[in-house]
Amino acid sequence: MEDRRKPSKEKASRPIPPDEANMPKFIISVAAKMLQLHPQTLRQYEKRGYVTPFRLGNLRLYSERDIHTINRIKELADEGIPVSYTHLTLPTIYSV
């Protein structure tokens, strides 16, 4: 017998999953340990607009891309570049 039901719209309405690098994975304490930074430093970087972690209520979830960005800021600071100047170099991080 022929199936006369309407095709399901479920597949069309599903959001496209983000790529793996942008997937929020790490809570602030884990991200801070990975980067060897204080959690307050990560909050300051968010406040300055360097990263925008995914927010779930009061919970911050950082992606691999956020971790990479913060690690690059840390590297630049270790090279003597003031953190306030890193906004000049951040757009070039992903242009490779």
Side-chain angles (χ1 to χ4, degrees):
M1 214 177 230
E2 189 178 332
D3 189 9
R4 295 183 183 190
R5 287 182 277 163
K6 290 182 180 179
S8 174
K9 292 183 180 181
E10 184 179 329
K11 290 183 181 178
S13 64
R14 287 186 199 165
I16 299 171
D19 64 297
E20 193 68 23
N22 289 324
M23 182 81 60
K25 298 178 184 177
F26 309 106
I27 60 173
I28 194 167
S29 60
V30 173
K33 283 181 184 178
M34 289 171 64
L35 294 161
Q36 298 178 350
L37 293 172
H38 194 278
Q40 189 62 39
T41 304
L42 300 182
R43 291 185 195 100
Q44 284 298 314
Y45 288 169
E46 177 185 3
K47 186 177 178 180
R48 293 179 183 189
Y50 300 140
V51 292
T52 307
F54 180 79
R55 298 294 297 259
L56 185 63
N58 288 335
L59 189 67
R60 289 173 172 88
L61 293 172
Y62 292 84
S63 68
E64 289 179 26
R65 181 172 231 154
D66 294 331
I67 299 295
H68 177 74
T69 300
I70 295 167
N71 194 45
R72 182 65 182 137
I73 292 169
K74 185 179 170 189
E75 288 172 358
L76 292 169
D78 290 345
E79 292 173 12
I81 298 172
V83 174
S84 59
Y85 290 162
T86 57
H87 71 280
L88 301 172
T89 60
L90 287 179
T92 62
I93 290 175
Y94 301 109
S95 62
V96 176

